[in-house]
Amino acid sequence: MVTLSPGILLIADPFLKDPNFSRTVVLLCEHEEKGSFGFVINKLFDQTLSDLVPEVLLGNIPVYYGGPVQMDTIHFVHREPSLISGGQEIMPGIFWGGRFDEVVNAINKGLLAPDRVKFFIGYSGWTDGQLEAEVKEKSWILSQTEAGLIFEHQEQQIWQQSLKNLGSTFAMMANYPIDPSLN
């Protein structure tokens, strides 16, 4: 049984109505008594990193919509603790945050490959007990994951692939229509 903890994926139920989370997959980065937070990993934002951070010299680094909270903040997860200090390991080999100046420097020097870091604007947050209640209501399906899925750049495939990875019972859900009346 998968339990709420850092590194777990929250896969939106196919019929979740909240437009912020419809057909999303959230990487949970922190889960404590006071609340939880994570990042939507499969919703591409409409600006690149260099659009948001002029110091970044490469113009093609995607940014993802991390969630509806604090849309004026940029966050990241990565697989490069030797290049980026200060990150918190949320699962083996995957780190959340760290020194942003080191990330920018590593990108500008060509030391940080795009499949080793993922950027988010905003985040997804839950108050004490809120996420547990949503899981109990079956708004979210919990899953363990592999790093490859987190850093996948075919974001439109992540939700379906996450369900398929759970086996045949959930794989059928991957093809459910967004509007059940269309079925």
Side-chain angles (χ1 to χ4, degrees):
M1 170 115 185
V2 179
T3 59
L4 290 170
S5 62
I8 294 299
L9 291 183
L10 306 172
I11 306 167
D13 178 82
F15 304 115
L16 183 64
K17 299 285 187 224
D18 183 336
N20 290 305
F21 297 108
S22 177
R23 305 279 166 129
T24 62
V25 177
V26 176
L27 172 63
L28 193 60
C29 292
E30 191 169 282
H31 180 69
E32 297 179 352
E33 265 188 47
K34 64 184 178 194
S36 307
F37 85 91
F39 305 110
V40 174
I41 63 171
N42 66 322
K43 234 176 157 177
L44 194 60
F45 192 63
D46 60 1
Q47 292 179 293
T48 64
L49 187 61
S50 62
D51 293 334
L52 301 170
V53 182
E55 297 82 14
V56 175
L57 302 178
L58 293 176
N60 61 346
I61 299 172
V63 175
Y64 293 81
Y65 170 81
V69 182
Q70 290 189 346
M71 289 290 295
D72 59 346
T73 59
I74 296 176
H75 307 270
F76 61 96
V77 294
H78 63 92
R79 305 192 249 196
E80 291 293 346
S82 63
L83 293 175
I84 306 163
S85 63
Q88 179 179 337
E89 192 168 31
I90 56 173
M91 60 185 284
I94 305 296
F95 296 81
W96 156 60
R99 293 204 35 201
F100 197 75
D101 62 323
E102 291 176 355
V103 174
V104 171
N105 188 39
I107 289 170
N108 288 343
K109 288 183 175 180
L111 301 174
L112 188 57
D115 65 341
R116 309 292 292 171
V117 63
K118 195 164 192 173
F119 294 92
F120 307 95
I121 188 157
Y123 67 91
S124 302
W126 295 266
T127 59
D128 178 27
Q130 183 182 4
L131 183 55
E132 290 86 349
E134 290 180 14
V135 169
K136 198 173 205 176
E137 294 167 358
K138 301 201 183 302
S139 295
W140 299 103
I141 300 161
L142 304 183
S143 173
Q144 294 181 337
T145 189
E146 298 173 1
L149 188 66
I150 295 168
F151 294 95
E152 175 64 54
H153 287 290
Q154 299 288 327
E155 65 279 341
Q156 65 277 13
Q157 303 297 319
I158 293 174
W159 182 80
Q160 289 179 320
Q161 190 59 50
S162 297
L163 286 171
K164 289 176 182 176
N165 289 350
L166 291 171
S168 59
T169 303
F170 292 98
M172 290 186 310
M173 294 174 143
N175 296 316
Y176 284 2
I178 292 174
D179 182 350
S181 67
L182 298 175
N183 202 2

